[in-house]
Amino acid sequence: MQGTIFDIKEFTVHDGPGIRSTIFLKGCPLRCIWCHNPEGLSSAPQLMITQNGCTGCGLCRKPCDHPRCQGLGRCAFRCPQGLVKIAGERVEAKDLADRMLRQREFFESSGGGVTISGGEPLFQPAFLMELLERLAPLHRLIETSGYAPEEVFRQAAERCEHVFLDIKHPDDAVHRRVTGVSNKQILKNLSYLKQSGLPYTIRIPLIPGINDDPAVIRQIAGLLKGERGALQRVEFMPYNPFAPAKYEMTGMPFAYKKPRDNDLDSLPLEEFHALGIQTKVL
Amino acid sequence: MDARVQQLRQMILKKAHDQYRVNIERSAKEYATLNLSDVERACRRLCAMLEAETPVVFPEERICYTRTVKNLFPLYTDEEWEVRSKPFVWGVGNICPDYATTIGMGLNAQRERCAQKLKTADEKQREFLSCLIRDIDAVLDLARRYREEALRVGNQIVADTLTRVPAQGARTFLEALQFFRILHFTLWCEGENHNGIGRFDQYMYPYWKRDIENGVLTEEEAFSLLEEFFLTFNRDNDLYPGVQKGDNGQSMMLGGVDRDGKPAFNELSSLCLRASRELLLIDPKINIRVDKNTPASVFYEGTLLTKQGLGFPQYSNDDVVIPGLVKLGYSLEDARDYTVAACWEFIIPQYGMEIPNIDAFSFPDAVDECVKMLDSFDSYEAFLEALKARMQIQCDRLVEHANTMTLLPAPFVSMMMDDCVERGEDISAGARYNNYGLHGVGLSAAVDAVESIRLHVFEKRDVSPQEMMDAVETDFAGRPELLHLLRYETPKFGDGDPEVDEIASLLAGRFADCLEGKKNNRGGIYRAGTGSAMYYLWYGDHSRATPGGHRKGEPWGANYAPELSVRSKGPLSVIQSFTAPDLMRIINGGPLTMEFHDSVFRDEESIWKVARLVQAFVLRGGHQMQLNSVNREVLLDAQKHPENYQNLIVRVWGWSAYFVQLDKTYQDHVIARQEFQV
């Protein structure tokens, strides 16, 4: 079946073990105010326009009859500099899997594989399941917000060799405010991972002023106390300073204002180490 | 890096030695008046150059020799040169002499060999041998003066070393390094360019090992000397001529297999990588030979160096290069001993008087000739046949021109080449291998153009031949949608698309076919390669647009890499494509070049991943690869504020240079290359 993706990146060094490619599925139920992949939010195709290099020739504004351009307001097939692109492409799971499988030597020789990220990969469950099954010969990893029905989460996780689960905030009220959704479902799915025996990694995006306070991080550590199954480690992802650029390209408003930089030195890594959990700051 | 090396490094960065330099005006009138032979002039010039040198010994240094005469004296008057340089003259250079034998035996013994040979020599041999003897005497004389200067400034270590070398053979690591420095220094003074260092970790290893085992040096002391030795390559490199500053051919080869095929990467190889990593200078340019059995740790050590952003190491794959050279007629033992010339051309130390960069074949030019008559082909096959014919015509023309080349003699370097002394003959007369190499420029642009023609003109027929011809002729004026279709929406070489890669295999193989059986005027053959040297700009400049959507006058990609305008799918697809052709057949040299954003190298895990990527390239049968760690923002800022980036280093084509010293066109090309992000 078909699904919508907005990118495939090869050799993504921070998306799991070994040499990997990452497939980005388009569409996400969360609206994290700091999101650095705004083109992954909506399920619909949208324009991505690089401003740098634009000569203002106006060719992209002239009407065209390309089916993919209809409804976007610009023509994406005329820019002499190639600056106007469409994020969002319908692809067959089989074609996508075949493309990945053609590169299996790279993955296998290095202990790597394919990572499926987004957007939110679990937001296109049927497509995701087919894709994961077709990718079975490879090491599979999903990178998810965990915001999905338990059944979907479990089915996807069982089709992977490794799961990356984001924990963005331990407090439900704050979570609702900064991501638009409750964290209850996410924590339920964390509980599933803890008892599933599946290797998994907890990832924490460090957003200045939102969750990078040591007290908040300590609370997250608290969520990992006790039996936690095959947790491999906790990874911290410092705030991506290039996030605003993509909003400009998509013409979307970017509401989040970074109050300060991350203070990585104040990260209470020892809280995790005391629990016997390895950490890594990316 | 210990304090002493730090201090010596600072001296180089501050160009403290610059104050000792002078320009000395000399004319070649006397040579002309006496109507001297070429070899006699070469000898007299070297003697004069060495005589004009003023010894400079710094208190902290253990390895001395600093150029004080900036310029190279002329061999011919302008009027003479008008005649002599026709039709085509080349200076000896871009080769790798056998330093080790001379370092081991000493110049007195080399002199004695010449004297013995002289007894039975004929007239021509006598001229060469007596020139070489006078050269040796001049080298010994400068060494004597250096020793006196060392004593005068109270540098006893240098004085002691020079008591032994270069007159006698080296016994220790320090003596061997100083001896090398003297030989290498002399080559530049003789007028040779791009003097390769070769397999340093092989021929120096015994000295290093013996000193460590005998307690002559601790490992730290030996490493300190090694780092100082590396610094010596940066002392005079601004005087060495090249297309741009930095293009000086001081290439060092590490690892690989020995002449018996046994793995040769040793402790000294590792130390060389470490020294380069610490010193952060453009010379020596590091190469590593690897194969399918090379341990992952070697790729890892190499990647630690890549991370530093110097644009090296460059990797060469023994599994492809050695059999490739054997197929071209090299003996297996010699092939196993290969190194690279200035950039990436595979040559044999000591036995190769090869000219691997004699000229450059342009793939896009051959395609363009056929585009001009695109409306005359009734099938894709007919188009390909015409293209093959055009390629042959261009190769024939290049060969015809190259075969008019003559070499100027170089008696001193001849001492270190093949059996020149035994033969009593200058190296310019030939060696065991006398092959010529042609670069292959713009393969990707040509492949992309052919794919466009195949797909749009012949398969889908959505672009008529006439429309394609007009678009190319007018540089797509008034045809933005066609340009977009061809430039951005049509498969490219580097996309990992088997059909496109097939075209690359075809064109690369055809290039090799065109040169097969061609003989050069020095008894050698022609080798086809995948390098570009500076021709990616020189040829790009005057080029028309292409059916692949390449615009008029845009530069081609450097070396063996996707076109600059290609929206790459990523490094895996690039490697897939670029390992598809039979690289054993186009083995003159020329690396797949890939740029990575410097943040890719941020942590240990990522460094291992890059190491595995290089290894994957090798396992897939890639021949040569060069990775760069770059940051476009930094480069753009460096263009605006060069004063803040005096030590910023980038890889240009087969060598690394200080970014701010490059002409803007070269800077812009580096900036325009595809940069793989995290």
Side-chain angles (χ1 to χ4, degrees):
Chain A
M1 72 173 294
Q2 284 196 336
T4 307
I5 64 170
F6 67 90
D7 206 359
I8 301 171
K9 278 205 156 73
E10 297 181 349
F11 197 60
T12 41
V13 293
H14 299 308
D15 286 350
I19 294 176
R20 311 192 75 78
S21 287
T22 302
I23 301 168
F24 295 86
L25 270 55
K26 191 160 159 55
C28 182
L30 276 67
R31 287 296 178 269
C32 305
I33 59 172
W34 62 84
C35 180
H36 70 272
N37 279 337
E39 77 276 34
L41 296 176
S42 162
S43 300
Q46 65 193 104
L47 283 174
M48 289 279 280
I49 305 176
T50 308
Q51 306 294 342
N52 192 6
C54 175
T55 60
C57 69
L59 281 169
C60 61
R61 294 183 186 276
K62 292 193 178 148
C64 74
D65 52 10
H66 303 115
R68 288 188 66 199
C69 303
Q70 303 313 307
L72 296 179
R74 300 270 187 117
C75 173
F77 301 100
R78 253 180 218 156
C79 175
Q81 278 73 40
L83 303 175
V84 184
K85 291 174 210 165
I86 298 173
E89 190 187 349
R90 298 286 289 170
V91 286
E92 281 290 338
K94 180 176 186 307
D95 296 340
L96 198 49
D98 285 349
R99 178 177 157 188
M100 295 298 128
L101 289 165
R102 276 202 297 273
Q103 298 183 330
R104 73 189 280 180
E105 294 173 49
F106 290 97
F107 306 137
E108 285 172 352
S109 68
S110 66
V114 173
T115 297
I116 302 178
S117 180
E120 169 51 62
L122 301 179
F123 210 40
Q124 300 182 54
F127 173 66
L128 176 68
M129 300 307 164
E130 184 187 335
L131 184 58
L132 287 173
E133 272 164 28
R134 290 185 179 277
L135 291 174
L138 305 176
H139 179 279
R140 297 159 297 178
L141 189 158
I142 49 169
E143 191 173 15
T144 172
S145 70
Y147 187 75
E150 277 164 275
E151 188 57 19
V152 169
F153 187 87
R154 189 180 58 74
Q155 283 185 16
E158 281 172 355
R159 287 168 174 77
C160 289
E161 279 61 51
H162 198 125
V163 175
F164 276 9
L165 177 67
D166 271 19
I167 300 288
K168 298 181 170 90
H169 208 287
D171 181 285
D172 194 38
V174 180
H175 201 278
R176 282 170 189 271
R177 183 164 55 78
V178 299
T179 72
V181 304
S182 161
N183 69 5
K184 288 211 175 78
Q185 194 59 37
I186 296 167
L187 297 179
K188 259 190 205 163
N189 286 328
L190 170 63
S191 303
Y192 163 75
L193 277 182
K194 285 181 179 176
Q195 55 77 39
S196 68
L198 284 166
Y200 68 102
T201 296
I202 298 296
R203 298 193 122 188
I204 306 173
L206 294 171
I207 313 303
I210 304 247
N211 71 352
D212 69 339
D213 187 73
V216 178
I217 303 296
R218 276 193 204 97
Q219 285 179 49
I220 295 178
L223 296 172
L224 300 172
K225 273 190 188 140
E227 181 50 50
R228 54 180 173 267
L231 174 64
Q232 303 296 301
R233 68 181 181 191
V234 172
E235 295 183 354
F236 296 91
M237 298 181 288
Y239 179 69
N240 178 354
F242 297 110
K246 276 197 172 177
Y247 284 84
E248 239 173 79
M249 292 169 75
T250 53
M252 292 161 70
F254 187 50
Y256 172 68
K257 294 267 181 300
K258 183 181 70 164
R260 52 175 171 76
D261 290 330
N262 289 133
D263 177 11
L264 297 179
D265 295 335
S266 75
L267 272 181
L269 299 178
E270 65 286 352
E271 291 281 324
F272 297 87
H273 301 160
L275 296 171
I277 300 171
Q278 290 183 19
T279 58
K280 181 168 169 67
V281 179
L282 294 176
Chain B
M1 201 186 318
D2 61 24
R4 191 180 67 85
V5 173
Q6 275 178 30
Q7 196 183 348
L8 290 167
R9 181 174 178 275
Q10 280 307 314
M11 280 171 57
I12 282 176
L13 293 179
K14 290 183 185 145
K15 305 202 170 298
H17 48 285
D18 217 27
Q19 59 180 302
Y20 301 98
R21 288 178 177 170
V22 289
N23 253 314
I24 297 178
E25 284 309 316
R26 288 283 170 91
S27 89
K29 261 198 192 128
E30 189 195 338
Y31 301 168
T33 314
L34 297 171
N35 197 21
L36 297 179
S37 68
D38 289 337
V39 68
E40 179 64 28
R41 290 174 193 234
C43 170
R44 288 201 187 194
R45 193 225 345 233
L46 175 59
C47 294
M49 287 290 299
L50 296 177
E51 199 183 315
E53 280 291 330
T54 308
V56 182
V57 178
F58 299 100
E60 312 76 14
E61 69 183 7
R62 311 264 158 89
I63 302 167
C64 61
Y65 271 56
T66 299
R67 273 281 285 275
T68 59
V69 179
K70 280 194 201 179
N71 54 316
L72 195 63
F73 304 156
L75 285 172
Y76 305 92
T77 63
D78 290 348
E79 300 76 49
E80 281 181 313
W81 189 240
E82 264 302 299
V83 181
R84 182 66 185 88
S85 63
K86 301 277 167 27
F88 184 15
V89 173
W90 202 276
V92 169
N94 227 348
I95 57 174
C96 183
D98 163 26
Y99 303 98
T101 301
T102 300
I103 289 172
M105 69 195 286
L107 285 179
N108 284 347
Q110 281 285 28
R111 194 185 188 287
E112 181 54 28
R113 269 178 78 205
C114 296
Q116 283 301 327
K117 182 71 201 170
L118 202 51
K119 289 179 186 164
T120 57
D122 64 25
E123 194 180 338
K124 188 140 195 324
Q125 292 171 321
R126 215 162 28 241
E127 182 182 38
F128 164 73
L129 290 165
S130 61
C131 281
L132 177 49
I133 288 173
R134 279 149 60 203
D135 283 346
I136 292 173
D137 288 342
V139 174
L140 288 169
D141 183 63
L142 181 59
R144 180 187 56 73
R145 288 187 287 131
Y146 255 97
R147 183 172 171 275
E148 282 170 8
E149 177 64 10
L151 286 171
R152 192 185 70 79
V153 301
N155 190 330
Q156 192 60 45
I157 296 176
V158 165
D160 286 349
T161 306
L162 292 176
T163 306
R164 174 82 192 179
V165 298
Q168 295 164 277
R171 295 161 304 184
T172 65
F173 190 49
L174 173 58
E175 286 173 359
L177 294 175
Q178 175 67 71
F179 205 145
F180 180 99
R181 172 68 184 155
I182 292 169
L183 293 174
H184 200 241
F185 177 99
T186 306
L187 298 183
W188 292 106
C189 292
E190 191 176 41
E192 279 87 70
N193 296 337
H194 297 97
N195 297 301
I197 303 162
R199 306 187 70 187
F200 175 84
D201 60 343
Q202 305 306 306
Y203 59 77
M204 281 292 174
Y205 183 72
Y207 295 98
W208 178 85
K209 186 81 179 154
R210 198 159 56 221
D211 278 9
I212 298 290
E213 280 177 358
N214 296 346
V216 173
L217 292 172
T218 65
E219 294 209 8
E220 292 74 42
E221 286 165 343
F223 185 63
S224 178
L225 290 177
L226 180 67
E227 289 202 318
E228 177 179 356
F229 176 72
F230 271 36
L231 288 176
T232 62
F233 292 98
N234 297 279
R235 237 180 237 171
D236 313 320
N237 56 0
D238 54 329
L239 303 179
Y240 304 157
V243 174
Q244 294 274 292
K245 270 187 186 165
D247 171 23
N248 59 39
Q250 300 192 107
S251 297
M252 177 180 279
M253 179 58 86
L254 305 173
V257 294
D258 63 17
R259 292 180 74 87
D260 300 322
K262 289 200 277 299
F265 191 92
N266 58 36
E267 299 105 302
L268 187 56
S269 328
S270 264
L271 291 173
C272 288
L273 291 174
R274 191 181 135 204
S276 187
R277 207 153 77 213
E278 288 188 4
L279 294 169
L280 302 177
L281 296 168
I282 60 171
D283 287 308
K285 302 171 205 310
I286 304 292
N287 290 262
I288 310 178
R289 280 176 42 179
V290 290
D291 62 30
K292 60 180 181 298
N293 299 317
T294 301
S297 60
V298 172
F299 294 99
Y300 172 75
E301 284 184 62
T303 308
L304 287 178
L305 180 53
T306 301
K307 174 192 159 95
Q308 303 295 55
L310 305 172
F312 45 74
Q314 172 171 261
Y315 299 90
S316 301
N317 183 0
D318 284 4
D319 292 333
V320 176
V321 178
I322 294 172
L325 291 173
V326 168
K327 276 189 187 173
L328 286 173
Y330 294 80
S331 80
L332 180 59
E333 288 71 28
D334 287 343
R336 283 173 177 157
D337 206 24
Y338 80 88
T339 182
V340 288
C343 299
W344 12 247
E345 304 92 333
F346 304 113
I347 55 168
I348 309 303
Q350 177 177 0
Y351 298 112
M353 181 55 250
E354 324 217 49
I355 304 176
N357 55 345
I358 197 155
D359 213 332
F361 173 81
S362 168
F363 286 100
D365 278 3
V367 174
D368 193 49
E369 294 291 334
C370 299
V371 171
K372 285 176 185 157
M373 43 183 190
L374 194 56
D375 55 355
S376 67
F377 305 115
D378 50 16
S379 67
Y380 175 57
E381 290 66 33
F383 166 79
L384 282 186
E385 282 312 308
L387 175 55
K388 287 182 182 171
R390 293 310 311 188
M391 290 177 70
Q392 185 69 62
I393 290 168
Q394 192 188 147
C395 282
D396 290 351
R397 188 168 48 74
L398 291 168
V399 164
E400 194 184 332
H401 176 63
N403 278 351
T404 62
M405 196 279 302
T406 53
L407 268 177
L408 293 173
F412 186 75
V413 73
S414 302
M415 176 185 79
M416 295 185 273
M417 291 300 292
D418 207 343
D419 51 354
C420 284
V421 172
E422 280 312 305
R423 282 186 285 129
E425 198 169 49
D426 190 89
I427 187 63
S428 57
R432 188 179 297 174
Y433 303 108
N434 301 292
N435 303 325
Y436 293 170
L438 294 182
H439 299 310
V441 184
L443 174 63
S444 300
V447 171
D448 295 352
V450 173
E451 168 63 7
S452 266
I453 291 167
R454 185 195 70 78
L455 185 67
H456 296 296
V457 177
F458 292 107
E459 191 185 294
K460 290 188 179 171
R461 296 178 178 271
D462 53 355
V463 183
S464 75
Q466 191 58 51
E467 188 183 5
M468 189 70 96
M469 289 165 73
D470 292 347
V472 167
E473 178 59 31
T474 59
D475 191 23
F476 298 96
R479 290 185 174 85
E481 290 192 32
L482 180 60
L483 172 64
H484 198 282
L485 174 72
L486 301 179
R487 190 172 169 100
Y488 300 117
E489 305 288 333
T490 301
K492 304 291 176 192
F493 187 37
D495 285 351
D497 181 321
E499 261 185 301
V500 184
D501 299 348
E502 180 60 38
I503 296 173
S505 303
L506 183 88
L507 296 191
R510 176 63 186 166
F511 180 27
D513 290 344
C514 289
L515 294 178
E516 201 160 299
K518 297 265 181 215
K519 294 270 183 278
N520 72 29
N521 59 330
R522 305 181 64 251
I525 56 159
Y526 279 85
R527 315 191 311 189
T530 46
S532 67
M534 59 285 176
Y535 298 95
Y536 63 98
L537 292 182
W538 290 5
Y539 284 0
D541 260 1
H542 68 259
S543 69
R544 299 201 307 159
T546 77
H550 183 104
R551 305 296 297 271
K552 180 176 166 31
E554 279 183 330
W556 311 120
N559 300 331
Y560 188 55
E563 275 266 86
L564 295 181
S565 59
V566 167
R567 289 174 180 169
S568 179
K569 290 185 172 168
L572 308 188
S573 292
V574 170
I575 291 176
Q576 252 184 322
S577 286
F578 282 76
T579 51
D582 180 2
L583 294 164
M584 243 178 240
R585 292 209 62 211
I586 37 175
I587 205 66
N588 190 58
L592 169 60
T593 307
M594 299 211 288
E595 270 62 37
F596 288 89
H597 192 266
D598 56 9
S599 60
V600 170
F601 302 87
R602 204 160 48 195
D603 61 39
E604 196 70 7
E605 287 175 12
S606 308
I607 289 169
W608 269 108
K609 289 173 190 178
V610 176
R612 291 293 186 184
L613 188 69
V614 178
Q615 192 176 34
F617 172 78
V618 169
L619 294 173
R620 288 183 66 95
H623 61 336
Q624 202 169 29
M625 183 188 232
Q626 172 186 302
L627 302 175
N628 305 327
S629 162
V630 293
N631 185 324
R632 185 171 296 147
E633 301 304 317
V634 170
L635 298 176
L636 289 168
D637 198 48
Q639 278 191 324
K640 283 187 210 135
H641 307 288
E643 66 282 3
N644 300 336
Y645 295 94
Q646 289 302 309
N647 297 323
L648 176 66
I649 292 169
V650 292
R651 189 77 169 178
V652 186
W653 63 82
W655 44 276
S656 301
Y658 294 103
F659 183 75
V660 298
Q661 293 179 1
L662 297 170
D663 290 344
K664 184 152 184 303
T665 46
Y666 289 95
Q667 291 183 345
D668 288 344
H669 196 279
V670 173
I671 290 171
R673 291 175 196 164
Q674 171 75 35
E675 176 184 283
F676 295 115
Q677 302 260 4
V678 178

